[in-house]
Amino acid sequence: MNDSAMADRAEAERMGRWSLPARALTIAGSDAGGGAGIQGDLKTFQELGVYGMSVVTAVTAQNSLGVQLAEPMPPRLIAAQLDSVLSDLGVDAAKTGMVPTPEAAEAVAGALRRFGVRRLVVDPVQLSKDGFALAGPGAFEATAKLLLPLAELATPNVPEAAALLGIAEADLAGLGARVEAARSLLAWGPRYVLLKGGHADDDACTDILVGAADGGAEPTLLRGPRLPGSGARGTGCAFAAAACAAMALGRDVPAACRSAKAFVAAALAASFRLGAGTPSLNHACGKPKKWSE
């Protein structure tokens, strides 16, 4: 945020003329179908009461059946979007999703460091739900190297955790193995790791939260039943966006993760089918359905 905007905000708050909203930024790919990516993130931000902004890293053609095509944005355009938003509007928390190229990772990391964005959620996206590669050659590795050290919270799923650790996904079948994996992922540099349990083969969907400063204490286990709509796309995006929104509102990471877990569970419970493929999350899960009225 520039000096003039900061002065205006401070003066407005001092005089009590209005209360400006918390600001959350999503740095991710566009989902034409609206269920994931920046569209899903902005719906989540709106639902959770923060002012949402977006930097588009890629444009995808996708619907309930999957991703048909993805094209990365030029790195200079990604950098220009970040400079535009961060220099004028500012941000209270940000999240990253689809980072399609190593050059995109460099542009994002450079801007986040330059503007001192500290409340950062990194969702190290690798594949879409239908298996489409959202991170091109070298991009997943660049995200790990450049963005995870900047993250206050990283939110990998089981396949992403296995890829980051260079092990087989089958090695993370047990809860104990996933706890150790979550702790090992702290070596990449994030202050907290939330290893999501949606891909684990058990009835309870258990997310594992560990912190770099907890001294090896018992992890925080966020448990929930595996819901019938768990196949909905965009759940990982929604979790990271909901945690980002909570952090923008000033909550600490454990509280933000509990809030995100509850939000995704509600969105899944209220999911619906728009197309012939996977269900869509109901991001407006706190509001009654009136679509047939």
PDB file of all heavy atoms in Angstrom, residues 221-234:
ATOM      1  N   LEU A 221      -4.717 -32.514  15.688  1.00  0.00           N
ATOM      2  CA  LEU A 221      -5.466 -33.350  14.745  1.00  0.00           C
ATOM      3  C   LEU A 221      -6.856 -32.763  14.567  1.00  0.00           C
ATOM      4  O   LEU A 221      -7.617 -32.647  15.536  1.00  0.00           O
ATOM      5  CB  LEU A 221      -5.548 -34.791  15.247  1.00  0.00           C
ATOM      6  CG  LEU A 221      -4.211 -35.503  15.479  1.00  0.00           C
ATOM      7  CD1 LEU A 221      -4.458 -36.932  15.956  1.00  0.00           C
ATOM      8  CD2 LEU A 221      -3.355 -35.495  14.224  1.00  0.00           C
ATOM      9  N   LEU A 222      -7.167 -32.393  13.343  1.00  0.00           N
ATOM     10  CA  LEU A 222      -8.487 -31.861  13.020  1.00  0.00           C
ATOM     11  C   LEU A 222      -9.279 -32.976  12.347  1.00  0.00           C
ATOM     12  O   LEU A 222      -9.051 -33.301  11.181  1.00  0.00           O
ATOM     13  CB  LEU A 222      -8.355 -30.649  12.093  1.00  0.00           C
ATOM     14  CG  LEU A 222      -7.459 -29.511  12.603  1.00  0.00           C
ATOM     15  CD1 LEU A 222      -7.400 -28.383  11.583  1.00  0.00           C
ATOM     16  CD2 LEU A 222      -7.945 -28.999  13.939  1.00  0.00           C
ATOM     17  N   ARG A 223     -10.192 -33.560  13.099  1.00  0.00           N
ATOM     18  CA  ARG A 223     -10.917 -34.734  12.618  1.00  0.00           C
ATOM     19  C   ARG A 223     -12.299 -34.339  12.119  1.00  0.00           C
ATOM     20  O   ARG A 223     -12.913 -33.400  12.615  1.00  0.00           O
ATOM     21  CB  ARG A 223     -11.059 -35.777  13.730  1.00  0.00           C
ATOM     22  CG  ARG A 223      -9.736 -36.268  14.300  1.00  0.00           C
ATOM     23  CD  ARG A 223      -9.969 -37.303  15.379  1.00  0.00           C
ATOM     24  NE  ARG A 223      -8.754 -37.705  16.067  1.00  0.00           N
ATOM     25  CZ  ARG A 223      -7.929 -38.652  15.648  1.00  0.00           C
ATOM     26  NH1 ARG A 223      -8.200 -39.307  14.532  1.00  0.00           N
ATOM     27  NH2 ARG A 223      -6.852 -38.958  16.343  1.00  0.00           N
ATOM     28  N   GLY A 224     -12.781 -35.091  11.159  1.00  0.00           N
ATOM     29  CA  GLY A 224     -14.125 -34.901  10.646  1.00  0.00           C
ATOM     30  C   GLY A 224     -14.543 -36.120   9.859  1.00  0.00           C
ATOM     31  O   GLY A 224     -13.697 -36.840   9.316  1.00  0.00           O
ATOM     32  N   PRO A 225     -15.833 -36.386   9.774  1.00  0.00           N
ATOM     33  CA  PRO A 225     -16.291 -37.552   9.005  1.00  0.00           C
ATOM     34  C   PRO A 225     -16.071 -37.338   7.515  1.00  0.00           C
ATOM     35  O   PRO A 225     -16.042 -36.207   7.025  1.00  0.00           O
ATOM     36  CB  PRO A 225     -17.787 -37.610   9.337  1.00  0.00           C
ATOM     37  CG  PRO A 225     -18.147 -36.192   9.651  1.00  0.00           C
ATOM     38  CD  PRO A 225     -16.952 -35.608  10.331  1.00  0.00           C
ATOM     39  N   ARG A 226     -15.889 -38.433   6.804  1.00  0.00           N
ATOM     40  CA  ARG A 226     -15.780 -38.349   5.352  1.00  0.00           C
ATOM     41  C   ARG A 226     -17.189 -38.201   4.783  1.00  0.00           C
ATOM     42  O   ARG A 226     -18.013 -39.100   4.894  1.00  0.00           O
ATOM     43  CB  ARG A 226     -15.094 -39.596   4.793  1.00  0.00           C
ATOM     44  CG  ARG A 226     -14.657 -39.450   3.343  1.00  0.00           C
ATOM     45  CD  ARG A 226     -13.762 -40.607   2.930  1.00  0.00           C
ATOM     46  NE  ARG A 226     -12.507 -40.583   3.665  1.00  0.00           N
ATOM     47  CZ  ARG A 226     -11.465 -39.833   3.334  1.00  0.00           C
ATOM     48  NH1 ARG A 226     -11.537 -39.039   2.279  1.00  0.00           N
ATOM     49  NH2 ARG A 226     -10.354 -39.878   4.042  1.00  0.00           N
ATOM     50  N   LEU A 227     -17.461 -37.064   4.185  1.00  0.00           N
ATOM     51  CA  LEU A 227     -18.811 -36.731   3.751  1.00  0.00           C
ATOM     52  C   LEU A 227     -19.123 -37.297   2.371  1.00  0.00           C
ATOM     53  O   LEU A 227     -18.211 -37.514   1.555  1.00  0.00           O
ATOM     54  CB  LEU A 227     -18.994 -35.211   3.739  1.00  0.00           C
ATOM     55  CG  LEU A 227     -18.826 -34.543   5.112  1.00  0.00           C
ATOM     56  CD1 LEU A 227     -18.771 -33.038   4.957  1.00  0.00           C
ATOM     57  CD2 LEU A 227     -19.948 -34.955   6.043  1.00  0.00           C
ATOM     58  N   PRO A 228     -20.409 -37.514   2.068  1.00  0.00           N
ATOM     59  CA  PRO A 228     -20.787 -38.056   0.752  1.00  0.00           C
ATOM     60  C   PRO A 228     -20.319 -37.191  -0.406  1.00  0.00           C
ATOM     61  O   PRO A 228     -20.036 -37.693  -1.482  1.00  0.00           O
ATOM     62  CB  PRO A 228     -22.320 -38.100   0.824  1.00  0.00           C
ATOM     63  CG  PRO A 228     -22.636 -38.181   2.284  1.00  0.00           C
ATOM     64  CD  PRO A 228     -21.565 -37.396   2.965  1.00  0.00           C
ATOM     65  N   GLY A 229     -20.223 -35.873  -0.209  1.00  0.00           N
ATOM     66  CA  GLY A 229     -19.810 -34.987  -1.290  1.00  0.00           C
ATOM     67  C   GLY A 229     -18.318 -34.777  -1.379  1.00  0.00           C
ATOM     68  O   GLY A 229     -17.865 -33.817  -2.013  1.00  0.00           O
ATOM     69  N   SER A 230     -17.532 -35.651  -0.751  1.00  0.00           N
ATOM     70  CA  SER A 230     -16.097 -35.420  -0.670  1.00  0.00           C
ATOM     71  C   SER A 230     -15.407 -35.439  -2.025  1.00  0.00           C
ATOM     72  O   SER A 230     -14.253 -35.045  -2.135  1.00  0.00           O
ATOM     73  CB  SER A 230     -15.447 -36.457   0.262  1.00  0.00           C
ATOM     74  OG  SER A 230     -15.899 -36.300   1.581  1.00  0.00           O
ATOM     75  N   GLY A 231     -16.085 -35.899  -3.064  1.00  0.00           N
ATOM     76  CA  GLY A 231     -15.489 -35.885  -4.394  1.00  0.00           C
ATOM     77  C   GLY A 231     -15.580 -34.535  -5.083  1.00  0.00           C
ATOM     78  O   GLY A 231     -15.115 -34.397  -6.210  1.00  0.00           O
ATOM     79  N   ALA A 232     -16.167 -33.550  -4.429  1.00  0.00           N
ATOM     80  CA  ALA A 232     -16.318 -32.241  -5.064  1.00  0.00           C
ATOM     81  C   ALA A 232     -14.955 -31.638  -5.362  1.00  0.00           C
ATOM     82  O   ALA A 232     -14.003 -31.796  -4.607  1.00  0.00           O
ATOM     83  CB  ALA A 232     -17.125 -31.308  -4.165  1.00  0.00           C
ATOM     84  N   ARG A 233     -14.892 -30.921  -6.467  1.00  0.00           N
ATOM     85  CA  ARG A 233     -13.618 -30.294  -6.824  1.00  0.00           C
ATOM     86  C   ARG A 233     -13.493 -28.947  -6.117  1.00  0.00           C
ATOM     87  O   ARG A 233     -14.476 -28.323  -5.730  1.00  0.00           O
ATOM     88  CB  ARG A 233     -13.525 -30.110  -8.338  1.00  0.00           C
ATOM     89  CG  ARG A 233     -14.560 -29.194  -8.928  1.00  0.00           C
ATOM     90  CD  ARG A 233     -14.692 -29.378 -10.433  1.00  0.00           C
ATOM     91  NE  ARG A 233     -15.620 -28.384 -10.992  1.00  0.00           N
ATOM     92  CZ  ARG A 233     -15.234 -27.205 -11.472  1.00  0.00           C
ATOM     93  NH1 ARG A 233     -13.947 -26.895 -11.466  1.00  0.00           N
ATOM     94  NH2 ARG A 233     -16.111 -26.350 -11.952  1.00  0.00           N
ATOM     95  N   GLY A 234     -12.256 -28.528  -5.930  1.00  0.00           N
ATOM     96  CA  GLY A 234     -12.002 -27.241  -5.320  1.00  0.00           C
ATOM     97  C   GLY A 234     -11.921 -27.246  -3.811  1.00  0.00           C
ATOM     98  O   GLY A 234     -11.838 -26.181  -3.199  1.00  0.00           O
TER      99      GLY A 234
END
